[in-house]
Amino acid sequence: MDYSVTTGRGKRKHPSPPHLDRPVKQRRPDDADMTGDEDYNASNKVSNGIYSDTDMEEENVLTLPKAATDSAEWQATIEEVVKNVVSIRFCQTCSFDTESAISSEATGFVVDAEQGYILTNRHVVGAGPFWGICVFDNHEECDVYPVYRDPVHDFGFLKFDPKAIKYMPIAALNLRPDLAKVGAEIRVVGNDAGEKLSILSGVISRLDRNAPEYGEGYSDFNTNYIQAAAAASGGSSGSPVVNIDGNAVALQAGGRADGAATDYFLPLDRPKRALKCIQEKEHVSRGTIQCQWMIKPFDECRRLGLTAEWEGAVRAEFPKETGMLVAEVSLPEGPAHKSIEEGDVLLKVNNELLTQFVRLDDILDSSVGKSVKILVQRGGEDIEVEIPVGDLHAITPDRFVTVAGASFHSLSYQQARLYAVAVKGVYVCEAAGSFRFETTDSGWIIHSIDHKMTPDLDTFIEVMAAIPDRARVVVMYKHLRDLHTLHTAILYIDRHWTHKMRMAIRNDETGKWDFTDLADPLPPTEPEAQKASFIRLDSVKQAAAADIIRSFVRISSNMPVKLDGFPRARKIGFGVVIDAEKGLVVVSRCIVPYDLCDITITVADSIIIDGKVIFMHPLQNYAIVQYNPALVKAPVKSAKLSDKPMRQGDSTIFVGFNQNLRVVVAETTVTDITTVAIPQNASNPRYRAINLDAITVDTNLSGQCGSGVLVAEDGSVQALWLSYLGERSPSGKDIEYHLGLATPSLLPVLREVGNGNVPKLRMLNVEFNSVQMSQARIMGVGLDWMHQVEIQNPERHQLFMVRKVDCGEEQALQEGDIVLTLNGKLITRVSELDIMYDNEMLDAVVVRKNEQIEIKIPTVPTGDLETDRAVIFCGATLHMPHHAVRQASSKLHSQVYVSSRSRGSPSYQYGLASTNFITAVNGVDTPDLEAFVKEVNLIPDNTYFRLKAVTFDNVPWVITMKKNEHYFPTVEFIKDKREACGWRSVIYENGKAIPGAGSPPVQTGTAEGEVLL
């Protein structure tokens, strides 16, 4: 199985990741480019998608020299077998139980040609429905969907329409579990390592291996596995293991990835029984006593207390056996709890001597709702118990609920068995939206919400339905790995971006999730004014620092849809109140990257109120947000902003907030003020500050604090201390720079905002670098100009050179130009470039190619650079190329830019990658979003269409994709000031727009920016 059929054409090509020396499920690792979201790494995977096998049994590998060519008999067999083997390409559209949303590929084989059934692995079929296709050997394809997955064992069945295959006869492989014998020569025929078809030879070496453990995801248990000398790899999951007669003797499931040529196969006894039930339209009964058994050799059984008499009886009855079944885990509150203990050696079931899993399954599956008698030996003592047999399907989830951007279902038997806990509780299968907890994505159990216990899913639904939109509630929860610790969090419940609470129920007749709306959101309660007082810094010697604390508020932003390449779905920091009467706060754009978000402002660590974005500066890394001051009864103080520029060597007081959100204070000195350009992120451009002077100070606290100010002795704020989002490190960590921004550059904008206006700035679409006089001399700047620079800026002799011209706009400036004057003023400081903000045209004197010339430079409106419309189509988030794209690219191929994509979606499955430009749909040019939406709405559901795309590196390519409106409807988000959220949503059904209908998908914040329905 392959986590991603293709990584698509992204901005750069990346080498394949190295394999870990650990056993794996035979599905290819997900090597798609990551966006570094703060909490993406599906919990059931280790790095590179490789699964570890913690059950490292000593291998007893019987090897067979590989022949150069197969015999004629083998060749004839393979020719017939390959006609029945299919490549499966599919998407798990959402996280459910042990599986995360993925796009993948694997193998299966036809076991009923008339009714159209395909056998493959359960870890391919997944716990929930998928949508996908199967491709036969002659490259005919048809839709395929799951109709059965075993709750425990690693097999499942898919359904296809045999009439859809017109150009080759379809036959079925016979299932012959009885022919799997030690020493038997076999072939594994499947989609190995993503290839269409590979044929691997091997020899069966063991029949009694315990099921391999694959870590925290799905694992098989309570069955023996077949071990063979083979070397299958990713994508071969579900391959038939055939003998020379063409019979399927086992099912490929897992193997070693440490170089050992060892594979693990599932015996076909239980798949054969299940297939017969499905063919006869009967229910596949599955019984359980919620106890895991393991095969233990006789010597270990003796150490556990097996008596010689019983060992002799077993050996006499089963002379070829080398071990017995021993209880490994008996789940609390399960049928076997307090009757079966870990270490019990199984002797008899219903008075039948038993050593094999197959016979144990037979008895339990035929005894659902009844009781069985079990005889075990515990420390040499015979103990007989009668245990009721439960329904295994009843403790295997077939539904989930989505609310507030997250998904929940009842804890599954798979998860409970892994952690040896009772099969009960509400499990968070997608910890996103309001329920994005601090650490890992999955494994959380909800204990209570709003001080109401949630022991089961029905109670959880009742509690959540009664919580109004925008409410803040106390949630208590545990993690399956640490049930000793009860965590407490206060969560903001979002029912406006995700309107509906929805129930998804697995439909095994159609192979789909059936969605039902459960409850409309309750309107938010009207906020009331609250009182609070700020903390006192009595121990701080600097009075100015002690007083400035009343100008700080904590700001939290939640982004329901990922735009502009921003890697986070939630950010927290501090802002500075610049007008307490109007509730205006200035904050870093690293905290508030765009205005499709919810802003929460906390005053005096006590009063929590909502805010909204008023203004975002295109270059200087700050935004202005506003709250309702009438709701705040606290002595909030407007910060007094200095109009005097700082200088190198100035003494100042650093007041910041560290990583623990605690205030720290230090007297310090300005070490440098220099023009900086924050490094751009190469893999996916996102907002970065350019063309500004950054301040650094001589204190270690500056590197620990992402928010703060520099304060003068008189209490005036000389600079804001801000976080600047930079590039991504090779390890995948997003780098943030902490630097100061002098307040004089903010004052013109702040004054206009204070007057109730939203500044409409203009700018030069270029990025500047400072150049020293030695460089300027070589590039053609005359001595008279250099002399004027020395007079005007004695502290720093510099001019500014055009480093990069943004694409998409006509520009009079060129890369390498040195700007001497703008509107007659010599430019030697970054702040002097601010003249561009108020002028549509600038008269400039520049040096170009050693020549001094005079030119007119048009400026562009900055409002056109902010994203005001986004389209989610087939799981990809599209909008116009934002400013960072224009900064990094040399050409805009269209106004339809892929900002992110969701795992498990058509865009991910077929390889449409972030940073692609879409230029045409089905041969019709789509230069902008309007044209794109018009064309895609003409495409019928579940049909293929063509996209023309261009990579960020200007490589054109064509992609074919299948539309899926059931899981991935087309949704638009359009900025609209009339809406309470500032944006309105439009959902398209059958090509028709339905404004604000339903519950639009919002992105969860995974690496690829998943869309959660």
Side-chain angles (χ1 to χ4, degrees):
M1 176 174 168
D2 175 12
Y3 280 121
S4 61
V5 171
T6 173
T7 59
R9 299 201 182 191
K11 184 177 177 186
R12 302 282 188 270
K13 292 185 177 180
H14 302 281
S16 299
H19 290 289
L20 297 182
D21 294 336
R22 310 178 80 171
V24 295
K25 287 179 183 175
Q26 299 299 359
R27 49 185 177 187
R28 293 171 61 204
D30 187 353
D31 56 356
D33 46 303
M34 304 289 286
T35 63
D37 188 63
E38 72 272 30
D39 44 25
Y40 184 80
N41 257 340
S43 64
N44 62 336
K45 298 193 290 291
V46 295
S47 63
N48 298 330
I50 295 179
Y51 287 68
S52 65
D53 180 359
T54 58
D55 181 22
M56 296 286 193
E57 295 193 358
E58 181 179 352
E59 307 299 345
N60 179 21
V61 179
L62 179 63
T63 59
L64 178 74
K66 186 178 291 186
T69 57
D70 275 330
S71 65
E73 189 175 3
W74 265 116
Q75 290 180 0
T77 297
I78 295 301
E79 287 179 3
E80 293 301 316
V81 169
V82 296
K83 298 177 183 178
N84 310 310
V85 178
V86 297
S87 174
I88 304 166
R89 302 171 186 172
F90 65 96
C91 290
Q92 300 280 1
T93 61
C94 57
S95 297
F96 184 68
D97 197 5
T98 58
E99 307 293 337
S100 60
I102 56 172
S103 300
S104 188
E105 66 180 23
T107 306
F109 58 97
V110 178
V111 291
D112 187 327
E114 294 183 1
Q115 298 188 52
Y117 290 116
I118 293 171
L119 175 62
T120 186
N121 289 124
R122 191 268 193 194
H123 71 257
V124 173
V125 174
F130 69 55
W131 69 273
I133 60 171
C134 64
V135 182
F136 284 78
D137 183 54
N138 69 340
H139 287 276
E140 284 189 88
E141 71 172 57
C142 63
D143 291 340
V144 66
Y145 59 89
V147 293
Y148 179 78
R149 74 274 298 143
D150 194 84
V152 171
H153 301 321
D154 199 5
F155 74 91
F157 292 96
L158 308 177
K159 188 83 166 64
F160 74 99
D161 182 6
K163 296 179 181 178
I165 307 304
K166 302 177 181 179
Y167 300 104
M168 66 172 283
I170 305 174
L173 292 183
N174 293 322
L175 304 185
R176 293 295 304 274
D178 56 307
L179 298 180
K181 301 180 183 298
V182 173
E185 187 178 355
I186 49 90
R187 297 291 185 272
V188 180
V189 184
N191 174 27
D192 188 73
E195 299 297 334
K196 175 179 174 290
L197 186 68
S198 293
I199 302 167
L200 304 175
S201 62
V203 175
I204 293 177
S205 56
R206 288 180 63 183
L207 300 176
D208 58 353
R209 190 196 193 281
N210 280 305
E213 284 281 351
Y214 297 119
E216 294 188 359
Y218 164 80
S219 289
D220 201 348
F221 58 97
N222 282 351
T223 182
N224 62 294
Y225 264 61
I226 299 169
Q227 182 177 301
S233 57
S236 64
S237 283
S239 298
V241 180
V242 299
N243 64 5
I244 197 168
D245 296 321
N247 296 307
V249 300
L251 178 67
Q252 168 71 20
R256 297 285 292 269
D258 58 0
T262 303
D263 276 355
Y264 307 129
F265 307 145
L266 177 72
L268 293 177
D269 304 85
R270 307 318 291 167
K272 184 175 181 178
R273 173 207 175 238
L275 176 61
K276 182 179 179 182
C277 293
I278 293 171
Q279 290 171 325
E280 297 175 357
K281 312 301 180 186
E282 296 178 357
H283 174 65
V284 183
S285 61
R286 294 288 279 116
T288 180
I289 59 172
Q290 296 185 27
C291 179
Q292 178 184 356
W293 304 87
M294 299 282 284
I295 304 171
K296 301 288 186 181
F298 280 121
D299 58 331
E300 187 169 349
C301 292
R302 285 194 296 271
R303 293 194 294 271
L304 291 170
L306 178 66
T307 62
E309 291 77 11
W310 277 115
E311 182 179 350
V314 171
R315 286 183 181 272
E317 183 75 16
F318 307 106
K320 293 185 179 181
E321 293 295 334
T322 60
M324 301 179 68
L325 300 183
V326 176
E328 181 77 5
V329 177
S330 181
L331 295 192
E333 303 180 30
H337 184 51
K338 296 183 179 179
S339 297
I340 303 294
E341 295 183 3
E342 289 76 6
D344 287 354
V345 180
L346 181 63
L347 299 176
K348 291 184 176 181
V349 179
N350 285 349
N351 299 316
E352 178 184 339
L353 201 62
L354 189 150
T355 63
Q356 290 286 333
F357 281 116
V358 171
R359 183 58 188 145
L360 178 61
D361 268 351
D362 279 338
I363 296 173
L364 294 179
D365 291 348
S366 60
S367 304
V368 177
K370 305 175 184 178
S371 296
V372 294
K373 291 183 179 180
I374 294 181
L375 177 65
V376 298
Q377 194 160 65
R378 183 182 302 158
E381 178 185 358
D382 290 357
I383 297 176
E384 187 173 43
V385 294
E386 186 168 330
I387 301 175
V389 178
D391 184 357
L392 193 51
H393 293 294
I395 56 175
T396 302
D398 66 348
R399 63 195 61 203
F400 69 91
V401 170
T402 63
V403 61
S407 298
F408 311 82
H409 59 68
S410 300
L411 183 66
S412 70
Y413 183 38
Q414 274 283 337
Q415 296 280 23
R417 191 276 316 180
L418 180 63
Y419 296 100
V421 298
V423 189
K424 65 178 184 179
V426 178
Y427 176 77
V428 187
C429 59
E430 185 72 64
S434 297
F435 288 83
R436 185 183 302 277
F437 295 122
E438 298 272 333
T439 54
T440 181
D441 262 351
S442 59
W444 299 107
I445 300 292
I446 301 298
H447 186 262
S448 68
I449 296 179
D450 199 19
H451 306 294
K452 300 177 180 67
M453 300 296 293
T454 55
D456 53 54
L457 194 61
D458 290 338
T459 305
F460 172 84
I461 292 171
E462 292 178 6
V463 172
M464 287 300 300
I467 298 175
D469 183 27
R470 299 181 185 272
R472 292 172 176 86
V473 298
V474 177
V475 177
M476 304 190 77
Y477 54 99
K478 295 182 178 181
H479 198 278
L480 286 170
R481 292 198 210 98
D482 181 16
L483 295 176
H484 304 289
T485 305
L486 184 62
H487 302 268
T488 303
I490 299 175
L491 301 185
Y492 171 81
I493 302 302
D494 164 26
R495 296 293 304 277
H496 47 279
W497 296 112
T498 52
H499 307 159
K500 300 290 187 179
M501 181 191 299
R502 306 177 75 193
M503 173 73 80
I505 300 177
R506 192 182 70 212
N507 186 331
D508 289 335
E509 294 295 324
T510 63
K512 295 180 179 180
W513 289 112
D514 290 340
F515 295 101
T516 304
D517 292 338
L518 296 181
D520 289 327
L522 298 178
T525 58
E526 287 296 324
E528 297 179 356
Q530 302 289 335
K531 292 182 178 181
S533 59
F534 287 88
I535 63 171
R536 294 169 55 182
L537 301 179
D538 293 338
S539 60
V540 175
K541 299 178 181 179
Q542 302 84 2
D547 197 42
I548 195 66
I549 196 69
R550 295 195 290 129
S551 300
F552 281 111
V553 293
R554 188 167 71 242
I555 295 181
S556 172
S557 61
N558 293 275
M559 284 67 73
V561 180
K562 286 191 173 180
L563 303 178
D564 298 351
F566 193 74
R568 299 283 191 269
R570 178 182 297 168
K571 287 289 289 184
I572 297 177
F574 283 82
V576 178
V577 177
I578 55 175
D579 192 327
E581 292 184 358
K582 294 186 172 73
L584 296 175
V585 182
V586 62
V587 63
S588 168
R589 282 198 66 168
C590 187
I591 308 300
V592 182
Y594 46 84
D595 57 2
L596 200 163
C597 64
D598 286 334
I599 302 293
T600 298
I601 298 176
T602 304
V603 180
D605 292 328
S606 176
I607 304 172
I608 302 176
I609 50 178
D610 294 332
K612 61 179 180 180
V613 179
I614 299 297
F615 172 78
M616 295 181 293
H617 199 284
L619 302 178
Q620 295 184 353
N621 192 52
Y622 69 87
I624 299 175
V625 300
Q626 186 176 35
Y627 64 89
N628 183 359
L631 299 176
V632 178
K633 294 183 177 180
V636 181
K637 179 182 177 182
S638 301
K640 177 185 176 183
L641 304 186
S642 173
D643 58 359
K644 297 179 180 179
M646 299 195 77
R647 298 181 181 276
Q648 188 176 21
D650 283 354
S651 295
T652 187
I653 303 170
F654 178 86
V655 182
F657 289 85
N658 61 20
Q659 296 175 351
N660 297 322
L661 306 182
R662 299 288 298 172
V663 63
V664 292
V665 180
E667 292 185 351
T668 187
T669 303
V670 175
T671 55
D672 195 12
I673 302 175
T674 185
T675 303
V676 299
I678 302 299
Q680 66 182 10
N681 184 50
S683 60
N684 196 354
R686 64 267 187 116
Y687 176 86
R688 66 189 182 98
I690 61 171
N691 299 343
L692 78 162
D693 277 341
I695 300 171
T696 58
V697 292
D698 185 22
T699 174
N700 292 333
L701 294 177
S702 63
Q704 304 171 16
C705 300
S707 304
V709 292
L710 300 181
V711 186
E713 290 289 346
D714 63 358
S716 61
V717 175
Q718 299 170 294
L720 303 178
W721 196 257
L722 304 175
S723 293
Y724 296 74
L725 182 61
E727 73 279 23
R728 172 160 301 146
S729 69
S731 63
K733 181 180 180 181
D734 290 306
I735 298 175
E736 290 186 8
Y737 298 88
H738 302 152
L739 301 166
L741 177 66
T743 53
S745 63
L746 283 69
L747 293 177
V749 169
L750 300 186
R751 278 194 291 267
E752 191 164 353
V753 172
N755 291 330
N757 302 317
V758 177
K760 299 184 181 300
L761 304 182
R762 303 184 67 85
M763 58 175 280
L764 296 172
N765 264 6
V766 297
E767 180 179 345
F768 290 104
N769 272 353
S770 62
V771 292
Q772 306 305 314
M773 292 299 96
S774 59
Q775 298 168 301
R777 186 191 302 270
I778 296 172
M779 299 181 73
V781 176
L783 293 177
D784 54 338
W785 286 109
M786 296 173 65
H787 181 62
Q788 292 184 49
V789 169
E790 293 170 355
I791 295 173
Q792 180 163 320
N793 191 352
E795 295 179 348
R796 188 154 304 219
H797 299 165
Q798 64 180 12
L799 289 168
F800 293 96
M801 180 188 73
V802 177
R803 176 184 176 273
K804 176 74 171 63
V805 176
D806 297 353
C807 66
E809 298 285 349
E810 292 186 6
Q811 275 288 2
L813 290 172
Q814 299 179 9
E815 277 92 348
D817 285 355
I818 294 181
V819 176
L820 299 176
T821 67
L822 293 176
N823 283 0
K825 180 175 177 56
L826 183 65
I827 304 299
T828 66
R829 297 178 177 87
V830 168
S831 60
E832 293 165 349
L833 293 171
D834 292 355
I835 192 175
M836 63 184 172
Y837 294 140
D838 302 317
N839 290 276
E840 294 187 10
M841 188 71 68
L842 296 172
D843 295 320
V845 177
V846 303
V847 173
R848 177 180 299 169
K849 299 179 181 178
N850 282 333
E851 293 184 7
Q852 179 178 315
I853 60 174
E854 296 182 4
I855 57 176
K856 290 187 176 294
I857 308 174
T859 59
V860 298
T862 59
D864 296 344
L865 302 177
E866 299 294 344
T867 299
D868 58 5
R869 183 182 186 184
V871 175
I872 299 178
F873 173 73
C874 284
T877 301
L878 314 171
H879 52 68
M880 72 173 189
H882 53 285
H883 191 201
V885 175
R886 298 166 186 261
Q887 290 173 327
S889 180
S890 60
K891 183 179 181 181
L892 296 183
H893 301 279
S894 79
Q895 292 293 313
V896 185
Y897 174 79
V898 183
S899 179
S900 62
R901 59 181 182 175
S902 65
R903 294 181 183 273
S905 68
S907 62
Y908 198 98
Q909 171 80 355
Y910 294 101
L912 183 64
S914 301
T915 72
N916 283 179
F917 297 88
I918 297 176
T919 59
V921 177
N922 284 336
V924 178
D925 290 342
T926 55
D928 52 37
L929 287 174
E930 193 71 34
F932 178 83
V933 171
K934 178 182 177 181
E935 288 304 316
V936 297
N937 280 330
L938 299 176
I939 302 171
D941 189 26
N942 203 38
T943 59
Y944 280 103
F945 58 93
R946 302 187 317 278
L947 292 179
K948 277 189 177 182
V950 182
T951 71
F952 204 85
D953 291 332
N954 304 322
V955 179
W957 67 301
V958 176
I959 179 176
T960 59
M961 186 184 299
K962 180 178 282 190
K963 193 176 185 181
N964 187 318
E965 290 187 341
H966 184 71
Y967 298 119
F968 300 96
T970 302
V971 181
E972 272 194 281
F973 288 93
I974 303 169
K975 187 179 291 188
D976 189 339
K977 294 181 180 179
R978 297 169 296 179
E979 297 289 328
C981 296
W983 291 70
R984 60 183 172 89
S985 63
V986 179
I987 297 180
Y988 293 89
E989 293 183 3
N990 299 319
K992 296 181 179 179
I994 305 177
S999 185
V1002 296
Q1003 297 181 347
T1004 64
T1006 63
E1008 289 292 330
E1010 293 97 325
V1011 173
L1012 175 65
L1013 289 177

